[in-house]
Amino acid sequence: PTQPHVLAVGNYDGTVQLWDTSSSRSPTHQRQLDGPSDVEFLSWHPKGGTVLLAGSTDGTVWMWFAPTGKCLQVFVGHESDVTCGGFTPDGKLAVS
């Protein structure tokens, strides 16, 4: 991830848990992102790492602004599971 102290964990219940790992002690929970029916992949944006992308078996791809938890976009139109995706190295495109 490009956010060195934030761990994103996707779950089969459709949530993404964000954890702060900057402490030398145990990680602390920052926030929950509610999203698709399940989470198959996660990818941080390469420029700054504040935008997070997730794909699902319901054919959607979700994009959030992680610091606030705001959903920026839900991409629809896949005809089956979206199990792989990410951003181009320059961060201009999301691919799935």
Side-chain angles (χ1 to χ4, degrees):
T2 52
Q3 278 203 18
H5 299 292
V6 178
L7 174 66
V9 178
N11 300 294
Y12 285 123
D13 67 0
T15 63
V16 176
Q17 305 298 327
L18 298 180
W19 296 86
D20 181 349
T21 61
S22 62
S23 170
S24 60
R25 304 194 80 185
S26 63
T28 55
H29 189 257
Q30 282 187 324
R31 74 176 19 88
Q32 175 175 300
L33 307 176
D34 294 315
S37 62
D38 66 330
V39 177
E40 293 293 317
F41 79 85
L42 293 170
S43 180
W44 287 106
H45 191 276
K47 306 289 183 182
T50 57
V51 175
L52 185 63
L53 199 65
S56 175
T57 58
D58 67 7
T60 61
V61 176
W62 290 58
M63 186 185 314
W64 295 276
F65 184 63
T68 64
K70 180 181 179 185
C71 179
L72 300 174
Q73 182 76 43
V74 178
F75 300 94
V76 298
H78 290 83
E79 294 182 5
S80 70
D81 305 355
V82 186
T83 59
C84 185
F87 293 96
T88 56
D90 64 5
K92 293 183 179 179
L93 298 173
V95 295
S96 60

